[in-house]
């Protein structure tokens, strides 16, 4: 069986979930003649029997009315074939995939598209269908995918247990929360706590989990948003440990979170309606503000998964297209999304992650969801190997940052302290990308809180990612999992004298900004101290001193780390270093860069250096 039963090509494009494993089916892909041998087909993954998730083609106004999907415009789902399929499932149950209201989802999509200049999937067109008894899911899916209104059909993954990660190290004495220590060993959370805003005040964090212990002494004031959690494994320890890392109370006992002053929210990955990570993400997004943080403590089966309890082959949740679309919407709505990379021992750059899966390849640079992908690094207990990737951690160019993947002291489990009962349990061995994710989440909330204290507004997702990547302590070894956040470096960069204004990155003697569509560099810099000639000498034509390498550096610092291509123009437009509205990145070797150039129709965003 295939997890994506059908993905339709629409208008020349492909129309297109430590951690808790999110199962996803993977199917065999035909091997082209003469090609290198491919990995063997993966085994079928656990799915919810009799449940399908259906995405209708964008541009329609299909909504759930009286328990059935109908086109409010009266044009779709009216054919004989459509009526026949709907009649077959009349005794089943249609559900909206997302709990957030239709109006709120549409508003989030509209605002996100305005902010990014790109298209976002219409999440109001995602539905779940519980089949009536006796119907074969494969047969029905075949009929659904034949309908012109349908874009894709997915099997809904079943929730698996949390992965078990070994206890790599137990501290003997001194401070147990060593991940709060200064760099290079830790993230310097204790320094951040001394600065206004550095404990995450004015920031909200929403954790996507199964459950947590609401009565734990460290977790007073956690607000559950959306439907009540239904934990399929009846184990609150995982969520309790995650929340304790970034949000443990600063009360002089037990643990102290990295961002203890942040408002803590919780959205359930599984509710009475079933297992639905995408719905939890949009529930978080609807209940937090711009610049606030969503942590996704889930992972999903990948094409190499075997269904084992250690989640070998598991990958980030965005491999599942419905979850990817929810993440994209949240990021476009200016929410910081921290996504654990998973404990699957996978190189996400492998060719297997650019084949199959219904044409959905989120780990390619051009398909970056905008989330902060987090790997699991070795703690200082490993000596010279500190900040190298743990064997179980997924890795590759798509990862942004890392956190400790072993020896993490936090609330829950009780193997460090249990004398006061489970509401006062603590552990010394929380591990995996499960522990790395909340460490990065705490760092993000600390950085955001401090920035708001200094500037009065929030960093965007791309800006925050850039700061953490540029100021972190580099990874070691050969597997890229990104740097370990260094809050002292990151926070000091915010308050440096003569720092750039909102959205700016300091490079080569100028403050760089990515302009809006239909703006020249003169327009971009009009309210930023004026245009700086550093633009031409840094990323102009070769005759001006510019280069492709420097253009790549500038765009990566602004949050766009994909490959930059060299181009020339015959229409006299001197656009220099820029990004097109289709997401491609370009540097022009001719003609000479002109700060007054802009494209007719506003098709490009220029990278411009301004005085400030």
């Amino acid at each position: 069986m295939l997890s994506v039963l059908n993905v339709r090509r629409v208008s020349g494009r492909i129309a297109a979930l430590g951690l808790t494993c999110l199962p996803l089916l993977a199917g065999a892909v035909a091997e082209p003649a003469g090609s290198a041998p491919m990995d063997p087909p993966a085994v079928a993954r656990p799915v919810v029997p009799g449940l399908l998730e259906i995405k209708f083609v964008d541009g329609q106004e299909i909504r759930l009315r009286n328990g059935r999907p109908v086109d409010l415009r009266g044009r779709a789902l009216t054919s004989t074939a459509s009526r026949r399929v709907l009649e077959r499932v009349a005794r089943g149950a249609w559900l909206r995939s997302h709990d957030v209201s239709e109006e709120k989802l549409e508003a989030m999509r509209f605002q996100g598209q305005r902010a990014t200049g790109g298209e976002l999937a219409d999440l109001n067109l995602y539905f779940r269908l519980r089949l009536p008894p006796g119907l074969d899911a494969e047969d029905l899916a075949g009929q659904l995918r034949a309908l012109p209104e349908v874009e894709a059909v997915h099997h809904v993954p079943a929730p698996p247990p949390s992965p078990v990660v070994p206890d790599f190290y137990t501290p003997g004495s001194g401070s147990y929360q060593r991940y709060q220590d200064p760099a290079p060993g830790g993230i310097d959370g204790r320094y951040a706590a001394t600065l206004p805003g550095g404990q995450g005040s004015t920031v909200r964090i929403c954790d996507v989990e199964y459950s947590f212990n609401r009565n734990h002494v460290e977790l007073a004031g956690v607000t559950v948003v959306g439907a009540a959690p239904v934990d399929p494994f009846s184990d609150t320890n995982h969520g309790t440990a995650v929340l304790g890392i970034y949000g443990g109370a600063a009360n002089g006992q037990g643990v102290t979170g990295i961002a203890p002053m942040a408002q803590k929210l919780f959205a359930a990955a599984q509710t009475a309606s079933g297992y639905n990570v995408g719905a939890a993400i949009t529930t978080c997004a609807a209940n937090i503000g711009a610049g606030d943080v969503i942590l996704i403590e889930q992972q999903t089966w990948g094409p190499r998964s075997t269904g084992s309890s250690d989640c070998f082959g598991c990958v980030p949740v965005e491999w599942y297209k419905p979850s990817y679309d929810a993440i994209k919407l949240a990021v476009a709505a200016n929410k910081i999304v921290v996504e654990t990379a998973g404990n699957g021992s996978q190189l996400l750059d492998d060719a297997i992650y650019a084949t199959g899966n219904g044409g959905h390849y989120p780990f390619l640079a051009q398909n970056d969801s905008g989330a902060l992908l987090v790997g699991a690094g070795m703690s200082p207990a490993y000596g010279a190997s500190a900040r190298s990737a743990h064997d179980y951690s997924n890795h590759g160019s798509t990862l942004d940052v890392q956190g400790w993947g072993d020896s993490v002291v936090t609330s829950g489990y009780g193997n460090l302290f249990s004398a006061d009962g489970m509401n006062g349990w603590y552990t010394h061995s929380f591990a995996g990308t499960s522990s790395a994710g909340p460490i990065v989440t705490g760092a993000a909330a600390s950085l955001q809180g401090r920035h708001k204290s200094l500037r009065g507004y929030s960093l965007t997702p791309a800006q925050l990612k850039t700061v953490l990547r540029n100021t972190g302590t580099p990874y070691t070894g050969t597997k890229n999992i990104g740097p370990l956040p260094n809050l002292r470096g990151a926070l000091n960069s915010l308050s440096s004298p003569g720092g750039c204004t909102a959205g700016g990155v300091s490079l080569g003697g100028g403050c760089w900004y990515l302009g809006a569509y239909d703006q020249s560099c003169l327009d971009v810099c009009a309210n930023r101290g004026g245009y700086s000639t550093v633009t031409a000498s840094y990323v102009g034509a070769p005759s001006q001193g510019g280069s492709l390498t420097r253009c790549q550096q500038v765009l990566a610092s602004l949050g766009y780390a994909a490959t930059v291509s060299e181009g020339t123009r015959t229409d006299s437009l001197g656009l220099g270093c820029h990004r097109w509205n289709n997401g491609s990145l370009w540097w022009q070797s001719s003609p000479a860069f002109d700060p007054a150039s802009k494209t007719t129709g506003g098709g490009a965003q220029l990278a411009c250096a301004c005085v400030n």
Side-chain angles (χ1 to χ4, degrees):
M1 291 193 299
L2 295 173
S3 67
V4 179
L5 298 179
N6 177 62
V7 176
R8 185 183 304 280
R9 187 175 292 273
V10 181
S11 303
R13 60 180 175 82
I14 293 292
L17 192 162
L19 283 171
T20 310
C21 295
L22 171 63
L24 182 62
L25 296 175
V29 179
E31 182 178 329
S35 68
M38 300 182 68
D39 285 56
V43 300
R45 312 293 171 239
V47 296
V48 179
L51 183 63
L52 299 174
E53 187 153 22
I54 297 142
K55 170 66 165 61
F56 290 102
V57 175
D58 283 346
Q60 304 175 101
E61 199 171 351
I62 296 174
R63 300 292 185 262
L64 196 64
R65 297 292 184 267
N66 298 319
R68 291 168 61 93
V70 297
D71 181 9
L72 301 186
R73 299 172 184 169
R75 291 179 288 193
L77 300 175
T78 59
S79 67
T80 300
S82 297
R83 290 198 299 270
R84 184 178 297 119
V85 173
L86 293 177
E87 287 169 3
R88 284 199 70 193
V89 298
R91 292 185 297 110
W94 288 87
L95 304 166
R96 294 179 65 240
S97 287
H98 296 271
D99 297 326
V100 175
S101 71
E102 294 174 357
E103 295 76 15
K104 181 67 173 179
L105 275 183
E106 182 56 33
M108 290 166 63
R109 179 174 183 243
F110 176 74
Q111 292 163 3
Q113 290 182 156
R114 287 191 60 185
T116 63
E119 288 293 319
L120 296 170
D122 183 354
L123 301 192
N124 275 318
L125 291 172
Y126 270 109
F127 297 89
R128 290 190 168 197
L129 173 60
R130 297 188 189 280
L131 305 184
L135 282 190
D136 179 78
E138 293 295 332
D139 178 59
L140 183 63
Q143 296 183 46
L144 283 166
R145 69 171 178 257
L147 301 179
E149 299 92 344
V150 174
E151 177 181 304
V153 181
H154 305 265
H155 282 293
V156 175
S162 300
V164 177
V165 182
D167 177 6
F168 291 100
Y169 170 70
T170 301
S173 62
S175 170
Y176 285 101
Q177 289 185 268
R178 303 304 298 271
Y179 52 90
Q180 297 264 37
D181 286 357
I187 67 168
D188 219 346
R190 295 185 183 88
Y191 168 76
T194 67
L195 303 176
Q199 288 189 310
S201 57
T202 73
V203 178
R204 283 172 283 189
I205 302 172
C206 189
D207 180 28
V208 175
E209 285 274 359
Y210 281 141
S211 64
F212 68 101
N213 180 0
R214 303 185 190 210
N215 298 314
H216 198 283
V217 294
E218 298 288 348
L219 304 181
V222 179
T223 301
V224 175
V225 293
V230 176
D231 188 339
F233 308 108
S234 301
D235 184 356
T236 61
N237 282 298
H238 189 276
T240 301
V242 167
L243 285 159
I245 292 171
Y246 65 75
N251 57 8
Q253 61 183 15
V255 295
T256 296
I258 299 166
M261 301 304 293
Q263 182 181 347
K264 297 180 286 291
L265 283 69
F266 181 96
Q270 174 154 312
T271 69
S273 297
Y275 186 54
N276 192 339
V277 173
I281 293 168
T282 54
T283 294
C284 281
N287 283 277
I288 63 176
D292 290 335
V293 185
I294 300 171
L295 170 60
I296 305 173
E297 278 283 325
Q298 301 281 295
Q299 60 190 355
T300 188
W301 305 112
R304 289 195 177 106
S305 294
T306 61
S308 61
S309 61
D310 65 359
C311 238
F312 176 83
C314 284
V315 293
V317 297
E318 60 184 51
W319 181 249
Y320 184 56
K321 184 62 161 53
S323 290
Y324 173 87
D325 285 343
I327 291 170
K328 287 273 288 184
L329 179 69
V331 172
N334 210 19
K335 323 298 182 184
I336 311 298
V337 177
V338 178
E339 181 183 2
T340 45
N343 300 343
S345 306
Q346 297 298 296
L347 172 60
L348 300 180
D349 296 325
D350 279 353
I352 198 170
Y353 296 110
T355 189
N357 204 35
H360 172 58
Y361 313 129
F363 311 140
L364 299 180
Q366 62 267 33
N367 299 327
D368 188 350
S369 67
L372 268 167
L373 271 174
V374 182
M378 296 182 183
S379 75
Y382 287 82
S385 296
R387 301 186 310 284
S388 293
H390 274 290
D391 288 342
Y392 61 76
S393 178
N394 290 333
H395 55 285
S397 60
T398 190
L399 268 70
D400 298 296
V401 286
Q402 64 170 286
W404 278 26
D406 64 271
S407 314
V408 172
V409 170
T410 183
S411 42
Y413 293 101
N415 56 1
L416 174 63
F417 182 83
S418 61
D420 293 338
M422 70 177 297
N423 294 337
W425 279 0
Y426 294 90
T427 179
H428 51 51
S429 55
F430 195 47
T433 48
S434 289
S435 61
I439 287 174
V440 171
T441 296
S446 175
L447 178 62
Q448 194 72 285
R450 177 61 175 158
H451 187 273
K452 291 173 75 172
S453 175
L454 285 169
R455 311 287 194 208
Y457 55 87
S458 299
L459 291 161
T460 67
Q463 290 166 348
L464 188 140
K465 179 186 292 191
T466 297
V467 173
L468 288 180
R469 291 181 60 161
N470 287 352
T471 61
T473 307
Y475 73 93
T476 61
T478 60
K479 299 176 180 178
N480 176 56
I481 51 172
L484 178 70
N486 174 3
L487 278 174
R488 186 183 296 264
L491 297 173
N492 287 350
S493 75
L494 301 180
S495 55
S496 57
C500 303
T501 55
V505 175
S506 179
L507 279 174
C511 285
W512 292 86
Y513 302 85
L514 193 66
Y517 298 108
D518 203 33
Q519 278 192 320
S520 69
C521 279
L522 296 181
D523 298 329
V524 173
C525 297
N527 296 316
R528 295 183 169 109
Y531 167 74
S532 172
T533 56
V534 168
T535 310
S537 62
Y538 210 75
V539 299
S543 61
Q544 297 171 298
S547 70
L548 176 65
T549 299
R550 284 181 168 179
C551 177
Q552 181 118 18
Q553 177 191 23
V554 168
L555 289 171
S557 296
L558 290 169
Y560 298 94
T563 301
V564 178
S565 302
E566 179 179 346
T568 61
R569 298 188 69 93
T570 58
D571 57 7
S572 77
L573 286 179
L575 298 179
C577 184
H578 57 281
R579 175 181 185 269
W580 281 95
N581 53 16
N582 64 2
S584 61
L585 308 176
W586 290 89
W587 171 75
Q588 286 184 212
S589 55
S590 69
F593 169 73
D594 177 0
S597 275
K598 58 183 178 181
T599 55
T600 302
Q605 297 173 274
L606 275 61
C608 308
C610 306
V611 174
N612 191 352

